[in-house]
Structure formats: C-alpha cells, structure tokens
PDB file of all heavy atoms in Angstrom:
ATOM      1  N   ALA J 298      -1.003  -7.257  -9.905  1.00 93.00           N
ATOM      2  CA  ALA J 298      -2.391  -7.172  -9.434  1.00 93.00           C
ATOM      3  C   ALA J 298      -3.175  -6.162 -10.264  1.00 93.00           C
ATOM      4  O   ALA J 298      -4.322  -6.422 -10.652  1.00 93.00           O
ATOM      5  CB  ALA J 298      -2.430  -6.801  -7.955  1.00 93.00           C
ATOM      6  N   LEU J 299      -2.569  -5.020 -10.548  1.00 94.00           N
ATOM      7  CA  LEU J 299      -3.243  -4.002 -11.363  1.00 94.00           C
ATOM      8  C   LEU J 299      -3.590  -4.552 -12.742  1.00 94.00           C
ATOM      9  O   LEU J 299      -4.683  -4.311 -13.261  1.00 94.00           O
ATOM     10  CB  LEU J 299      -2.359  -2.766 -11.505  1.00 94.00           C
ATOM     11  CG  LEU J 299      -2.147  -1.936 -10.237  1.00 94.00           C
ATOM     12  CD1 LEU J 299      -1.064  -0.888 -10.470  1.00 94.00           C
ATOM     13  CD2 LEU J 299      -3.439  -1.298  -9.777  1.00 94.00           C
ATOM     14  N   LYS J 300      -2.673  -5.294 -13.341  1.00 93.00           N
ATOM     15  CA  LYS J 300      -2.924  -5.880 -14.667  1.00 93.00           C
ATOM     16  C   LYS J 300      -4.051  -6.899 -14.609  1.00 93.00           C
ATOM     17  O   LYS J 300      -4.938  -6.916 -15.465  1.00 93.00           O
ATOM     18  CB  LYS J 300      -1.651  -6.525 -15.211  1.00 93.00           C
ATOM     19  CG  LYS J 300      -0.642  -5.530 -15.700  1.00 93.00           C
ATOM     20  CD  LYS J 300       0.595  -6.214 -16.248  1.00 93.00           C
ATOM     21  CE  LYS J 300       1.615  -5.180 -16.689  1.00 93.00           C
ATOM     22  NZ  LYS J 300       2.859  -5.791 -17.146  1.00 93.00           N
ATOM     23  N   GLU J 301      -4.016  -7.788 -13.609  1.00 91.00           N
ATOM     24  CA  GLU J 301      -5.063  -8.811 -13.502  1.00 91.00           C
ATOM     25  C   GLU J 301      -6.430  -8.192 -13.272  1.00 91.00           C
ATOM     26  O   GLU J 301      -7.435  -8.707 -13.747  1.00 91.00           O
ATOM     27  CB  GLU J 301      -4.738  -9.790 -12.365  1.00 91.00           C
ATOM     28  CG  GLU J 301      -3.771 -10.855 -12.773  1.00 91.00           C
ATOM     29  CD  GLU J 301      -3.753 -12.026 -11.809  1.00 91.00           C
ATOM     30  OE1 GLU J 301      -4.777 -12.320 -11.155  1.00 91.00           O
ATOM     31  OE2 GLU J 301      -2.697 -12.661 -11.716  1.00 91.00           O
ATOM     32  N   LEU J 302      -6.455  -7.115 -12.523  1.00 90.00           N
ATOM     33  CA  LEU J 302      -7.729  -6.468 -12.203  1.00 90.00           C
ATOM     34  C   LEU J 302      -8.131  -5.419 -13.232  1.00 90.00           C
ATOM     35  O   LEU J 302      -9.206  -4.843 -13.136  1.00 90.00           O
ATOM     36  CB  LEU J 302      -7.643  -5.808 -10.818  1.00 90.00           C
ATOM     37  CG  LEU J 302      -7.444  -6.763  -9.652  1.00 90.00           C
ATOM     38  CD1 LEU J 302      -7.061  -5.994  -8.399  1.00 90.00           C
ATOM     39  CD2 LEU J 302      -8.700  -7.591  -9.420  1.00 90.00           C
ATOM     40  N   ALA J 303      -7.248  -5.161 -14.206  1.00 89.00           N
ATOM     41  CA  ALA J 303      -7.463  -4.093 -15.194  1.00 89.00           C
ATOM     42  C   ALA J 303      -7.789  -2.794 -14.469  1.00 89.00           C
ATOM     43  O   ALA J 303      -8.700  -2.059 -14.843  1.00 89.00           O
ATOM     44  CB  ALA J 303      -8.563  -4.475 -16.180  1.00 89.00           C
ATOM     45  N   GLU J 304      -7.032  -2.532 -13.420  1.00 78.00           N
ATOM     46  CA  GLU J 304      -7.267  -1.362 -12.576  1.00 78.00           C
ATOM     47  C   GLU J 304      -6.371  -0.211 -13.002  1.00 78.00           C
ATOM     48  O   GLU J 304      -5.222  -0.412 -13.383  1.00 78.00           O
ATOM     49  CB  GLU J 304      -6.991  -1.712 -11.110  1.00 78.00           C
ATOM     50  CG  GLU J 304      -7.343  -0.629 -10.115  1.00 78.00           C
ATOM     51  CD  GLU J 304      -8.813  -0.255 -10.153  1.00 78.00           C
ATOM     52  OE1 GLU J 304      -9.658  -1.127  -9.933  1.00 78.00           O
ATOM     53  OE2 GLU J 304      -9.106   0.923 -10.411  1.00 78.00           O
ATOM     54  N   ILE J 305      -6.902   0.979 -12.905  1.00 79.00           N
ATOM     55  CA  ILE J 305      -6.131   2.186 -13.170  1.00 79.00           C
ATOM     56  C   ILE J 305      -5.345   2.511 -11.900  1.00 79.00           C
ATOM     57  O   ILE J 305      -5.939   2.640 -10.824  1.00 79.00           O
ATOM     58  CB  ILE J 305      -7.073   3.353 -13.533  1.00 79.00           C
ATOM     59  CG1 ILE J 305      -7.895   3.004 -14.776  1.00 79.00           C
ATOM     60  CG2 ILE J 305      -6.285   4.644 -13.723  1.00 79.00           C
ATOM     61  CD1 ILE J 305      -9.060   3.915 -15.025  1.00 79.00           C
ATOM     62  N   PRO J 306      -4.016   2.628 -12.005  1.00 76.00           N
ATOM     63  CA  PRO J 306      -3.210   2.846 -10.799  1.00 76.00           C
ATOM     64  C   PRO J 306      -3.671   3.986  -9.906  1.00 76.00           C
ATOM     65  O   PRO J 306      -3.655   3.862  -8.686  1.00 76.00           O
ATOM     66  CB  PRO J 306      -1.806   3.113 -11.352  1.00 76.00           C
ATOM     67  CG  PRO J 306      -1.782   2.390 -12.649  1.00 76.00           C
ATOM     68  CD  PRO J 306      -3.180   2.509 -13.192  1.00 76.00           C
ATOM     69  N   SER J 307      -4.131   5.074 -10.485  1.00 79.00           N
ATOM     70  CA  SER J 307      -4.544   6.218  -9.664  1.00 79.00           C
ATOM     71  C   SER J 307      -5.794   5.935  -8.838  1.00 79.00           C
ATOM     72  O   SER J 307      -6.111   6.668  -7.916  1.00 79.00           O
ATOM     73  CB  SER J 307      -4.769   7.449 -10.537  1.00 79.00           C
ATOM     74  OG  SER J 307      -5.832   7.216 -11.435  1.00 79.00           O
ATOM     75  N   ARG J 308      -6.518   4.858  -9.163  1.00 82.00           N
ATOM     76  CA  ARG J 308      -7.711   4.482  -8.393  1.00 82.00           C
ATOM     77  C   ARG J 308      -7.419   3.395  -7.361  1.00 82.00           C
ATOM     78  O   ARG J 308      -8.255   3.082  -6.536  1.00 82.00           O
ATOM     79  CB  ARG J 308      -8.806   3.979  -9.334  1.00 82.00           C
ATOM     80  CG  ARG J 308      -9.373   5.042 -10.222  1.00 82.00           C
ATOM     81  CD  ARG J 308     -10.426   4.489 -11.164  1.00 82.00           C
ATOM     82  NE  ARG J 308     -11.113   3.320 -10.677  1.00 82.00           N
ATOM     83  CZ  ARG J 308     -12.392   3.295 -10.272  1.00 82.00           C
ATOM     84  NH1 ARG J 308     -13.102   4.379 -10.321  1.00 82.00           N
ATOM     85  NH2 ARG J 308     -12.944   2.180  -9.862  1.00 82.00           N
ATOM     86  N   ALA J 309      -6.237   2.814  -7.439  1.00 89.00           N
ATOM     87  CA  ALA J 309      -5.897   1.696  -6.558  1.00 89.00           C
ATOM     88  C   ALA J 309      -5.334   2.197  -5.228  1.00 89.00           C
ATOM     89  O   ALA J 309      -4.708   3.248  -5.160  1.00 89.00           O
ATOM     90  CB  ALA J 309      -4.877   0.789  -7.243  1.00 89.00           C
ATOM     91  N   ILE J 310      -5.562   1.411  -4.194  1.00 89.00           N
ATOM     92  CA  ILE J 310      -5.034   1.700  -2.860  1.00 89.00           C
ATOM     93  C   ILE J 310      -4.299   0.460  -2.378  1.00 89.00           C
ATOM     94  O   ILE J 310      -4.812  -0.656  -2.468  1.00 89.00           O
ATOM     95  CB  ILE J 310      -6.166   2.046  -1.873  1.00 89.00           C
ATOM     96  CG1 ILE J 310      -6.903   3.299  -2.335  1.00 89.00           C
ATOM     97  CG2 ILE J 310      -5.603   2.239  -0.465  1.00 89.00           C
ATOM     98  CD1 ILE J 310      -8.146   3.614  -1.529  1.00 89.00           C
ATOM     99  N   TYR J 311      -3.091   0.677  -1.874  1.00 92.00           N
ATOM    100  CA  TYR J 311      -2.281  -0.425  -1.349  1.00 92.00           C
ATOM    101  C   TYR J 311      -2.093  -0.219   0.143  1.00 92.00           C
ATOM    102  O   TYR J 311      -1.593   0.820   0.571  1.00 92.00           O
ATOM    103  CB  TYR J 311      -0.932  -0.473  -2.066  1.00 92.00           C
ATOM    104  CG  TYR J 311      -0.092  -1.657  -1.652  1.00 92.00           C
ATOM    105  CD1 TYR J 311      -0.337  -2.916  -2.183  1.00 92.00           C
ATOM    106  CD2 TYR J 311       0.930  -1.519  -0.718  1.00 92.00           C
ATOM    107  CE1 TYR J 311       0.417  -4.015  -1.797  1.00 92.00           C
ATOM    108  CE2 TYR J 311       1.689  -2.613  -0.335  1.00 92.00           C
ATOM    109  CZ  TYR J 311       1.429  -3.849  -0.876  1.00 92.00           C
ATOM    110  OH  TYR J 311       2.175  -4.942  -0.494  1.00 92.00           O
ATOM    111  N   LEU J 312      -2.526  -1.190   0.926  1.00 92.00           N
ATOM    112  CA  LEU J 312      -2.368  -1.126   2.372  1.00 92.00           C
ATOM    113  C   LEU J 312      -1.092  -1.830   2.783  1.00 92.00           C
ATOM    114  O   LEU J 312      -0.786  -2.907   2.258  1.00 92.00           O
ATOM    115  CB  LEU J 312      -3.539  -1.830   3.085  1.00 92.00           C
ATOM    116  CG  LEU J 312      -4.813  -1.040   3.254  1.00 92.00           C
ATOM    117  CD1 LEU J 312      -5.508  -0.843   1.941  1.00 92.00           C
ATOM    118  CD2 LEU J 312      -5.704  -1.714   4.249  1.00 92.00           C
ATOM    119  N   GLY J 313      -0.376  -1.236   3.712  1.00 93.00           N
ATOM    120  CA  GLY J 313       0.833  -1.868   4.196  1.00 93.00           C
ATOM    121  C   GLY J 313       1.271  -1.294   5.525  1.00 93.00           C
ATOM    122  O   GLY J 313       0.870  -0.193   5.899  1.00 93.00           O
ATOM    123  N   ASP J 314       2.111  -2.051   6.217  1.00 94.00           N
ATOM    124  CA  ASP J 314       2.575  -1.606   7.532  1.00 94.00           C
ATOM    125  C   ASP J 314       4.089  -1.435   7.606  1.00 94.00           C
ATOM    126  O   ASP J 314       4.640  -1.323   8.692  1.00 94.00           O
ATOM    127  CB  ASP J 314       2.083  -2.557   8.627  1.00 94.00           C
ATOM    128  CG  ASP J 314       2.613  -3.981   8.474  1.00 94.00           C
ATOM    129  OD1 ASP J 314       3.308  -4.269   7.484  1.00 94.00           O
ATOM    130  OD2 ASP J 314       2.311  -4.804   9.359  1.00 94.00           O
ATOM    131  N   THR J 315       4.747  -1.410   6.445  1.00 94.00           N
ATOM    132  CA  THR J 315       6.197  -1.243   6.437  1.00 94.00           C
ATOM    133  C   THR J 315       6.602  -0.152   5.447  1.00 94.00           C
ATOM    134  O   THR J 315       5.843   0.183   4.536  1.00 94.00           O
ATOM    135  CB  THR J 315       6.925  -2.550   6.026  1.00 94.00           C
ATOM    136  OG1 THR J 315       6.659  -2.811   4.638  1.00 94.00           O
ATOM    137  CG2 THR J 315       6.496  -3.732   6.889  1.00 94.00           C
ATOM    138  N   VAL J 316       7.819   0.352   5.628  1.00 95.00           N
ATOM    139  CA  VAL J 316       8.328   1.352   4.692  1.00 95.00           C
ATOM    140  C   VAL J 316       8.477   0.742   3.297  1.00 95.00           C
ATOM    141  O   VAL J 316       8.268   1.435   2.295  1.00 95.00           O
ATOM    142  CB  VAL J 316       9.647   1.988   5.188  1.00 95.00           C
ATOM    143  CG1 VAL J 316       9.409   2.780   6.456  1.00 95.00           C
ATOM    144  CG2 VAL J 316      10.721   0.958   5.404  1.00 95.00           C
ATOM    145  N   ASP J 317       8.820  -0.541   3.215  1.00 95.00           N
ATOM    146  CA  ASP J 317       8.906  -1.213   1.909  1.00 95.00           C
ATOM    147  C   ASP J 317       7.552  -1.223   1.201  1.00 95.00           C
ATOM    148  O   ASP J 317       7.477  -1.092  -0.024  1.00 95.00           O
ATOM    149  CB  ASP J 317       9.439  -2.635   2.050  1.00 95.00           C
ATOM    150  CG  ASP J 317      10.939  -2.688   2.282  1.00 95.00           C
ATOM    151  OD1 ASP J 317      11.611  -1.642   2.149  1.00 95.00           O
ATOM    152  OD2 ASP J 317      11.449  -3.784   2.598  1.00 95.00           O
ATOM    153  N   ASP J 318       6.477  -1.400   1.962  1.00 95.00           N
ATOM    154  CA  ASP J 318       5.135  -1.369   1.371  1.00 95.00           C
ATOM    155  C   ASP J 318       4.850  -0.009   0.751  1.00 95.00           C
ATOM    156  O   ASP J 318       4.319   0.083  -0.364  1.00 95.00           O
ATOM    157  CB  ASP J 318       4.068  -1.669   2.427  1.00 95.00           C
ATOM    158  CG  ASP J 318       4.081  -3.099   2.925  1.00 95.00           C
ATOM    159  OD1 ASP J 318       4.467  -3.996   2.146  1.00 95.00           O
ATOM    160  OD2 ASP J 318       3.695  -3.322   4.084  1.00 95.00           O
ATOM    161  N   MET J 319       5.201   1.063   1.468  1.00 97.00           N
ATOM    162  CA  MET J 319       4.922   2.404   0.967  1.00 97.00           C
ATOM    163  C   MET J 319       5.828   2.741  -0.219  1.00 97.00           C
ATOM    164  O   MET J 319       5.392   3.377  -1.180  1.00 97.00           O
ATOM    165  CB  MET J 319       5.075   3.447   2.077  1.00 97.00           C
ATOM    166  CG  MET J 319       4.046   3.298   3.204  1.00 97.00           C
ATOM    167  SD  MET J 319       2.320   3.317   2.666  1.00 97.00           S
ATOM    168  CE  MET J 319       1.892   1.570   2.695  1.00 97.00           C
ATOM    169  N   THR J 320       7.073   2.293  -0.173  1.00 96.00           N
ATOM    170  CA  THR J 320       7.981   2.508  -1.305  1.00 96.00           C
ATOM    171  C   THR J 320       7.450   1.789  -2.547  1.00 96.00           C
ATOM    172  O   THR J 320       7.446   2.348  -3.649  1.00 96.00           O
ATOM    173  CB  THR J 320       9.398   2.010  -0.959  1.00 96.00           C
ATOM    174  OG1 THR J 320       9.874   2.731   0.180  1.00 96.00           O
ATOM    175  CG2 THR J 320      10.357   2.197  -2.110  1.00 96.00           C
ATOM    176  N   ALA J 321       6.977   0.566  -2.375  1.00 96.00           N
ATOM    177  CA  ALA J 321       6.433  -0.208  -3.502  1.00 96.00           C
ATOM    178  C   ALA J 321       5.182   0.458  -4.071  1.00 96.00           C
ATOM    179  O   ALA J 321       5.022   0.548  -5.294  1.00 96.00           O
ATOM    180  CB  ALA J 321       6.128  -1.637  -3.067  1.00 96.00           C
ATOM    181  N   SER J 322       4.306   0.937  -3.200  1.00 96.00           N
ATOM    182  CA  SER J 322       3.074   1.571  -3.687  1.00 96.00           C
ATOM    183  C   SER J 322       3.399   2.834  -4.474  1.00 96.00           C
ATOM    184  O   SER J 322       2.836   3.076  -5.537  1.00 96.00           O
ATOM    185  CB  SER J 322       2.110   1.872  -2.540  1.00 96.00           C
ATOM    186  OG  SER J 322       2.621   2.859  -1.678  1.00 96.00           O
ATOM    187  N   THR J 323       4.341   3.629  -3.971  1.00 95.00           N
ATOM    188  CA  THR J 323       4.742   4.847  -4.671  1.00 95.00           C
ATOM    189  C   THR J 323       5.345   4.505  -6.033  1.00 95.00           C
ATOM    190  O   THR J 323       5.007   5.118  -7.054  1.00 95.00           O
ATOM    191  CB  THR J 323       5.750   5.647  -3.822  1.00 95.00           C
ATOM    192  OG1 THR J 323       5.126   5.985  -2.576  1.00 95.00           O
ATOM    193  CG2 THR J 323       6.194   6.909  -4.517  1.00 95.00           C
ATOM    194  N   SER J 324       6.208   3.502  -6.072  1.00 95.00           N
ATOM    195  CA  SER J 324       6.841   3.095  -7.332  1.00 95.00           C
ATOM    196  C   SER J 324       5.827   2.574  -8.346  1.00 95.00           C
ATOM    197  O   SER J 324       6.014   2.723  -9.547  1.00 95.00           O
ATOM    198  CB  SER J 324       7.894   2.016  -7.070  1.00 95.00           C
ATOM    199  OG  SER J 324       8.942   2.527  -6.290  1.00 95.00           O
ATOM    200  N   ALA J 325       4.751   1.955  -7.850  1.00 94.00           N
ATOM    201  CA  ALA J 325       3.715   1.421  -8.740  1.00 94.00           C
ATOM    202  C   ALA J 325       2.694   2.482  -9.142  1.00 94.00           C
ATOM    203  O   ALA J 325       1.838   2.235  -9.976  1.00 94.00           O
ATOM    204  CB  ALA J 325       3.005   0.244  -8.072  1.00 94.00           C
ATOM    205  N   GLY J 326       2.772   3.661  -8.530  1.00 93.00           N
ATOM    206  CA  GLY J 326       1.849   4.737  -8.866  1.00 93.00           C
ATOM    207  C   GLY J 326       0.489   4.614  -8.230  1.00 93.00           C
ATOM    208  O   GLY J 326      -0.493   5.167  -8.736  1.00 93.00           O
ATOM    209  N   VAL J 327       0.403   3.868  -7.123  1.00 94.00           N
ATOM    210  CA  VAL J 327      -0.878   3.719  -6.430  1.00 94.00           C
ATOM    211  C   VAL J 327      -0.830   4.451  -5.085  1.00 94.00           C
ATOM    212  O   VAL J 327       0.241   4.778  -4.574  1.00 94.00           O
ATOM    213  CB  VAL J 327      -1.256   2.233  -6.215  1.00 94.00           C
ATOM    214  CG1 VAL J 327      -1.294   1.485  -7.529  1.00 94.00           C
ATOM    215  CG2 VAL J 327      -0.324   1.550  -5.243  1.00 94.00           C
ATOM    216  N   ILE J 328      -1.992   4.680  -4.530  1.00 92.00           N
ATOM    217  CA  ILE J 328      -2.095   5.346  -3.237  1.00 92.00           C
ATOM    218  C   ILE J 328      -1.641   4.382  -2.152  1.00 92.00           C
ATOM    219  O   ILE J 328      -2.139   3.262  -2.062  1.00 92.00           O
ATOM    220  CB  ILE J 328      -3.546   5.794  -2.977  1.00 92.00           C
ATOM    221  CG1 ILE J 328      -3.956   6.843  -4.009  1.00 92.00           C
ATOM    222  CG2 ILE J 328      -3.708   6.325  -1.552  1.00 92.00           C
ATOM    223  CD1 ILE J 328      -5.438   7.143  -4.032  1.00 92.00           C
ATOM    224  N   GLY J 329      -0.706   4.830  -1.343  1.00 94.00           N
ATOM    225  CA  GLY J 329      -0.247   4.029  -0.212  1.00 94.00           C
ATOM    226  C   GLY J 329      -1.017   4.402   1.043  1.00 94.00           C
ATOM    227  O   GLY J 329      -1.101   5.577   1.400  1.00 94.00           O
ATOM    228  N   LEU J 330      -1.611   3.418   1.680  1.00 94.00           N
ATOM    229  CA  LEU J 330      -2.318   3.630   2.932  1.00 94.00           C
ATOM    230  C   LEU J 330      -1.585   2.826   4.000  1.00 94.00           C
ATOM    231  O   LEU J 330      -1.620   1.604   3.995  1.00 94.00           O
ATOM    232  CB  LEU J 330      -3.778   3.176   2.814  1.00 94.00           C
ATOM    233  CG  LEU J 330      -4.734   3.665   3.895  1.00 94.00           C
ATOM    234  CD1 LEU J 330      -6.155   3.650   3.382  1.00 94.00           C
ATOM    235  CD2 LEU J 330      -4.624   2.891   5.169  1.00 94.00           C
ATOM    236  N   GLY J 331      -0.891   3.526   4.879  1.00 96.00           N
ATOM    237  CA  GLY J 331      -0.137   2.864   5.932  1.00 96.00           C
ATOM    238  C   GLY J 331      -1.041   2.437   7.069  1.00 96.00           C
ATOM    239  O   GLY J 331      -2.015   3.123   7.393  1.00 96.00           O
ATOM    240  N   VAL J 332      -0.709   1.319   7.663  1.00 95.00           N
ATOM    241  CA  VAL J 332      -1.462   0.803   8.803  1.00 95.00           C
ATOM    242  C   VAL J 332      -0.465   0.521   9.927  1.00 95.00           C
ATOM    243  O   VAL J 332       0.510  -0.199   9.725  1.00 95.00           O
ATOM    244  CB  VAL J 332      -2.221  -0.498   8.442  1.00 95.00           C
ATOM    245  CG1 VAL J 332      -2.980  -1.019   9.640  1.00 95.00           C
ATOM    246  CG2 VAL J 332      -3.153  -0.259   7.260  1.00 95.00           C
ATOM    247  N   ILE J 333      -0.714   1.099  11.085  1.00 96.00           N
ATOM    248  CA  ILE J 333       0.161   0.885  12.236  1.00 96.00           C
ATOM    249  C   ILE J 333      -0.294  -0.386  12.945  1.00 96.00           C
ATOM    250  O   ILE J 333      -1.434  -0.462  13.416  1.00 96.00           O
ATOM    251  CB  ILE J 333       0.081   2.074  13.230  1.00 96.00           C
ATOM    252  CG1 ILE J 333       0.355   3.400  12.527  1.00 96.00           C
ATOM    253  CG2 ILE J 333       1.012   1.840  14.412  1.00 96.00           C
ATOM    254  CD1 ILE J 333       1.749   3.595  12.048  1.00 96.00           C
ATOM    255  N   PRO J 334       0.570  -1.400  13.031  1.00 92.00           N
ATOM    256  CA  PRO J 334       0.176  -2.624  13.738  1.00 92.00           C
ATOM    257  C   PRO J 334      -0.004  -2.356  15.234  1.00 92.00           C
ATOM    258  O   PRO J 334       0.676  -1.493  15.798  1.00 92.00           O
ATOM    259  CB  PRO J 334       1.356  -3.582  13.520  1.00 92.00           C
ATOM    260  CG  PRO J 334       2.244  -2.938  12.517  1.00 92.00           C
ATOM    261  CD  PRO J 334       1.904  -1.490  12.465  1.00 92.00           C
ATOM    262  N   THR J 335      -0.905  -3.086  15.845  1.00 90.00           N
ATOM    263  CA  THR J 335      -1.155  -2.903  17.283  1.00 90.00           C
ATOM    264  C   THR J 335       0.094  -3.163  18.108  1.00 90.00           C
ATOM    265  O   THR J 335       0.262  -2.589  19.170  1.00 90.00           O
ATOM    266  CB  THR J 335      -2.281  -3.832  17.767  1.00 90.00           C
ATOM    267  OG1 THR J 335      -1.934  -5.179  17.434  1.00 90.00           O
ATOM    268  CG2 THR J 335      -3.606  -3.480  17.117  1.00 90.00           C
ATOM    269  N   TYR J 336       0.980  -4.015  17.628  1.00 92.00           N
ATOM    270  CA  TYR J 336       2.179  -4.383  18.384  1.00 92.00           C
ATOM    271  C   TYR J 336       3.350  -3.419  18.179  1.00 92.00           C
ATOM    272  O   TYR J 336       4.408  -3.582  18.769  1.00 92.00           O
ATOM    273  CB  TYR J 336       2.633  -5.799  18.003  1.00 92.00           C
ATOM    274  CG  TYR J 336       2.880  -5.980  16.528  1.00 92.00           C
ATOM    275  CD1 TYR J 336       4.070  -5.553  15.939  1.00 92.00           C
ATOM    276  CD2 TYR J 336       1.910  -6.555  15.710  1.00 92.00           C
ATOM    277  CE1 TYR J 336       4.284  -5.703  14.577  1.00 92.00           C
ATOM    278  CE2 TYR J 336       2.124  -6.705  14.346  1.00 92.00           C
ATOM    279  CZ  TYR J 336       3.316  -6.281  13.795  1.00 92.00           C
ATOM    280  OH  TYR J 336       3.531  -6.427  12.451  1.00 92.00           O
ATOM    281  N   ALA J 337       3.181  -2.384  17.355  1.00 93.00           N
ATOM    282  CA  ALA J 337       4.283  -1.448  17.089  1.00 93.00           C
ATOM    283  C   ALA J 337       4.704  -0.754  18.378  1.00 93.00           C
ATOM    284  O   ALA J 337       3.867  -0.220  19.111  1.00 93.00           O
ATOM    285  CB  ALA J 337       3.864  -0.426  16.041  1.00 93.00           C
ATOM    286  N   ALA J 338       5.999  -0.754  18.647  1.00 93.00           N
ATOM    287  CA  ALA J 338       6.523  -0.168  19.880  1.00 93.00           C
ATOM    288  C   ALA J 338       6.387   1.354  19.880  1.00 93.00           C
ATOM    289  O   ALA J 338       5.960   1.937  20.875  1.00 93.00           O
ATOM    290  CB  ALA J 338       7.983  -0.570  20.070  1.00 93.00           C
ATOM    291  N   ASP J 339       6.763   1.999  18.787  1.00 95.00           N
ATOM    292  CA  ASP J 339       6.707   3.459  18.696  1.00 95.00           C
ATOM    293  C   ASP J 339       5.818   3.829  17.519  1.00 95.00           C
ATOM    294  O   ASP J 339       6.281   4.004  16.393  1.00 95.00           O
ATOM    295  CB  ASP J 339       8.123   4.022  18.531  1.00 95.00           C
ATOM    296  CG  ASP J 339       8.173   5.536  18.648  1.00 95.00           C
ATOM    297  OD1 ASP J 339       7.122   6.198  18.455  1.00 95.00           O
ATOM    298  OD2 ASP J 339       9.274   6.059  18.927  1.00 95.00           O
ATOM    299  N   LYS J 340       4.522   3.940  17.793  1.00 95.00           N
ATOM    300  CA  LYS J 340       3.536   4.182  16.743  1.00 95.00           C
ATOM    301  C   LYS J 340       3.767   5.514  16.023  1.00 95.00           C
ATOM    302  O   LYS J 340       3.640   5.595  14.804  1.00 95.00           O
ATOM    303  CB  LYS J 340       2.127   4.113  17.321  1.00 95.00           C
ATOM    304  CG  LYS J 340       1.735   2.707  17.760  1.00 95.00           C
ATOM    305  CD  LYS J 340       0.365   2.695  18.410  1.00 95.00           C
ATOM    306  CE  LYS J 340      -0.140   1.352  18.825  1.00 95.00           C
ATOM    307  NZ  LYS J 340       0.750   0.284  19.074  1.00 95.00           N
TER     308      LYS J 340
END
C-alpha cells in the first residue's frame, strides 16, 4: 500500500483491532492505531 500510494512510512497510519495488526504496522514502520471493537469482552 505504501508503494502504491508513494507514501512515506512515518506519515502513514494503520488502523487495526488485533495484535497482528499492530505487529505488522510496527514492522512496516508506520504508526499503529489500535481500535477496540464494540464486541470485545475485556476492552
């Protein structure tokens, strides 16, 4: 996605609701923004 958008990783934000999402964002060098789903048992 960063390549297609010609985006600088430090300016990108990746939203996700799982630990895998945050691990992927960190590995890609982008800001990880976690989102707690409404159905999460222990927010």
